[in-house]
Amino acid sequence: MSSGQANVLLCVTKLREEEKRIAELLTAQGLQVEVNLDSMALPLGEAHGSPGRKPPDIALIRCLSQKNALSRATLLDLAGIRTLNSVQAITVCTNKIHQAVVFEGRGIPQPRFQVAFTAASLGEAFEAFGQVFVVKPASSSWGRGIARIVGREGLDGWIAARESLDPSHQSFPVLVQEYVDKGDFDIRVVVVGREPIAAFRRVSPDNWKTNTHLGAEVEPLVVDAEIRALCGRLTDVLGEGIYGVDLFYDYKEHRYLVCEVNQNPEFAKSWKIHGVDVASHIAAYVGSKIASVRSFQPT
């Protein structure tokens, strides 16, 4: 997609609708975009590319695999190439346990949690969270591997299945969260830079997992002062970047809680409903970061 020096290295698993539009908008700014698939070599130096070739100004990380996103961003960062998001942010966002611990230390409101290092230690969570809680693997997307445990029988069934599939307990530790009475929806807020540009409810009356990949419907939502302030606190912790912030409204405590923060928000379906052109905001943000990088380069 580019000729000559690339300004933006667009790291993707595949070029989806979202990434195509981001690339088109960056090109319209006069920037050179180079698409880099997970299977391709990274421009880590002359040994890995063309002799004399200058590195890109910035790498936009949009890999579907959280493992690949972190691995490739880390290599690029070590090679001196700035990444969006930062390696530090991706490290936190791609591990639910890391997130919970970091947010706890910084006072971010979230569901109560424990980290279970063995199946046996889940019994402690059973007592702590009132016989209903949620178990999450450290790394997962689209709701995969997340289970709601109800009652001792449900816990025993989960442990038995896990021991059968994972006898050496390689999937531990896992995150254990209290089950929050959030109604039939959660809230996704898209943050670009430090600005919450769009918010919407993901409504799923028939599934406690409110995820658009699982059939949840999108309902636009106004970004109120409380959501804006909470997103500001999150970017203080993670640094500015491009995030999908998932919130619960806790009807018991009457406040928002942070469920998790995604470092690679998808928007192909949602933006057509809430009407905010997320790709345009991302392209403008990336362009501004390149201008900032260039302003510090010696002439």
Side-chain angles (χ1 to χ4, degrees), residues 144-225:
R144 291 177 298 197
I146 298 175
R148 180 175 60 177
I149 307 298
V150 180
R152 176 64 66 175
E153 185 175 345
L155 175 60
D156 291 343
W158 187 93
I159 291 174
R162 182 58 55 182
E163 288 178 340
S164 175
L165 295 170
D166 181 26
S168 60
H169 300 292
Q170 294 298 308
S171 59
F172 282 85
V174 295
L175 181 68
V176 183
Q177 284 184 335
E178 68 172 322
Y179 179 71
V180 176
D181 177 15
K182 60 183 178 61
D184 62 358
F185 71 95
D186 72 356
I187 296 168
R188 163 59 64 90
V189 186
V190 180
V191 174
V192 178
R194 296 184 58 87
E195 182 70 17
I197 64 166
F200 52 93
R201 296 186 183 195
R202 299 185 295 192
V203 182
S204 182
D206 302 319
N207 191 338
W208 71 275
K209 294 182 183 179
T210 43
N211 189 295
T212 54
H213 284 276
L214 300 175
E217 296 297 323
V218 172
E219 295 181 355
L221 183 70
V222 173
V223 176
D224 63 23

Side-chain angles (χ1 to χ4, degrees), residues 242-295:
I242 302 164
Y243 303 109
V245 178
D246 293 342
L247 305 177
F248 295 151
Y249 188 79
D250 184 351
Y251 283 95
K252 183 178 179 180
E253 300 294 334
H254 301 289
R255 62 172 182 164
Y256 292 111
L257 299 175
V258 177
C259 172
E260 63 185 57
V261 180
N262 188 302
Q263 59 85 30
N264 182 22
E266 300 178 30
F267 52 87
K269 176 182 176 181
S270 60
W271 87 275
K272 297 170 185 174
I273 299 173
H274 59 63
V276 177
D277 191 346
V278 177
S280 179
H281 283 272
I282 292 176
Y285 177 63
V286 173
S288 72
K289 294 296 103 178
I290 290 175
S292 176
V293 169
R294 287 175 173 175
S295 69

